[in-house]
């Protein structure tokens, strides 16, 4: 049995890196006294996996991790015990029991929905967004370990809309293609010909593909 866990990483913890987040979760799980499944060998550890690491500086509203269990546990017992062991800024939002054969969240991940709050928003941004999306190709420079590489991010943008002072973005996030929010924002404001304003980007939800289109990963 495995438990698919939805948790939040609050803005106060946004500068904590992924390794520190993993350690925090492992310690909380040990304190919870839940029947966890450990790896075999000289240094047993919890077989904890995350759907997608969060970038440093980015909060997450509905992040997903998978926790293997040694025996069956109700979702109520799991969420209560884990919540009691977690700090207030890293709450367990929900949990769902799945079989061991259930595909890993990372394997089902297709995209993510983000909200970027803009400070000192430039005028006419709504019209700029429409013109930006009307392009057949959107050139950008992706930074890789081997250096900077040009790419076309238009096929990786599922949705982009302005709501008040917030840009709502649904972007590809998978092994085949990934468009990071910073890459899109840099391309958008370069297209607009204005400096990029200060932003706070929050990852709102992870998404999977289905026959009906993109759906919340936690429901798959």
């Amino acid at each position: 049995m495995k438990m698919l866990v939805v948790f939040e990483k609050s803005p106060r913890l946004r500068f904590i890196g992924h390794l520190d987040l993993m350690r925090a979760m492992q310690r909380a799980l040990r304190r919870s006294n839940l029947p966890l499944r450990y790896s075999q060998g000289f240094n047993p550890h919890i077989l904890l996996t995350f759907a997608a690491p969060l970038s440093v500086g980015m909060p997450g509203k509905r992040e997903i991790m998978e926790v293997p269990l040694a025996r069956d546990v109700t979702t109520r017992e799991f969420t209560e015990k884990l919540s009691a062991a977690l700090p207030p800024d890293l709450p367990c939002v929900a949990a769902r029991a799945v079989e061991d054969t259930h595909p890993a969240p990372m394997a089902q991940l297709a995209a993510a929905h983000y909200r970027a709050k803009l400070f000192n928003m430039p005028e006419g941004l709504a019209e700029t967004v429409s013109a930006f999306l009307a392009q057949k190709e959107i050139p950008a420079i992706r930074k890789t370990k081997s250096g900077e590489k040009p790419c076309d991010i238009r096929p990786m943008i599922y949705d982009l809309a302005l709501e008040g002072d917030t840009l709502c973005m649904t972007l590809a996030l998978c092994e085949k293609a990934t468009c990071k929010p910073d890459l899109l924002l840099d391309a958008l404001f370069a297209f607009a010909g204005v400096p990029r304003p200060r932003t706070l980007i929050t990852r709102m939800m992870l998404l999977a593909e289905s026959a009906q289109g993109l759906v919340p990963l936690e429901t798959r």
Side-chain angles (χ1 to χ4, degrees):
M1 175 185 180
K2 300 185 291 188
M3 198 67 73
L4 204 63
V5 184
V6 182
F7 67 94
E8 179 180 350
K9 182 182 177 184
S10 77
R12 284 188 62 191
L13 301 183
R14 66 186 183 276
F15 293 113
I16 292 178
H18 183 63
L19 290 179
D20 288 328
L21 175 63
M22 286 186 67
R23 293 188 190 102
M25 280 297 183
Q26 288 169 345
R27 289 168 183 161
L29 284 163
R30 291 190 186 99
R31 289 195 300 268
S32 70
N33 292 319
L34 286 162
L36 307 171
R37 192 190 311 166
Y38 288 80
S39 65
Q40 303 297 315
F42 292 106
N43 297 299
H45 58 274
I46 304 169
L47 298 169
L48 181 64
T49 57
F50 290 78
L54 267 173
S55 299
V56 175
M58 187 183 299
K61 282 291 186 181
R62 300 190 74 83
E63 297 301 297
I64 295 177
M65 66 179 180
E66 190 178 72
V67 182
L69 299 171
R71 61 173 174 81
D72 289 356
V73 175
T74 64
T75 54
R76 180 176 179 177
E77 179 185 358
F78 184 94
T79 53
E80 286 180 352
K81 287 187 174 181
L82 181 56
S83 295
L86 285 169
D89 290 309
L90 196 64
C92 174
V93 177
R96 179 167 66 94
V98 296
E99 298 295 331
D100 286 336
T101 55
H102 189 269
M106 188 180 294
Q108 300 183 78
L109 186 61
H113 181 62
Y114 306 87
R115 291 179 67 88
K117 180 177 174 58
L118 306 175
F119 301 89
N120 301 319
M121 188 176 68
E123 294 183 4
L125 187 57
E127 292 77 10
T128 300
V129 168
S130 298
F132 180 74
L133 290 176
Q135 299 177 100
K136 292 183 178 180
E137 295 183 357
I138 299 177
I141 301 296
R142 186 191 303 276
K143 293 180 180 178
T144 68
K145 293 180 180 179
S146 58
E148 295 184 343
K149 294 184 178 180
C151 62
D152 174 19
I153 63 172
R154 185 62 186 91
M156 307 177 204
I157 303 172
Y158 288 96
D159 191 34
L160 176 64
L162 183 65
E163 295 182 3
D165 62 354
T166 301
L167 276 168
C168 302
M169 306 173 281
T170 303
L171 308 174
L173 177 59
C174 60
E175 186 177 353
K176 293 181 180 179
T178 293
C179 180
K180 294 183 178 180
D182 281 320
L183 190 64
L184 182 143
L185 291 173
D186 287 344
L188 173 63
F189 288 103
F191 175 81
V194 297
R196 175 180 159 180
R198 185 168 63 90
T199 57
L200 175 60
I201 305 170
T202 301
R203 190 159 74 185
M204 304 299 294
M205 186 176 294
L206 297 168
L207 304 164
E209 286 185 347
S210 73
Q212 291 75 40
L214 292 174
V215 297
L217 178 60
E218 63 207 62
T219 64
R220 300 298 290 165

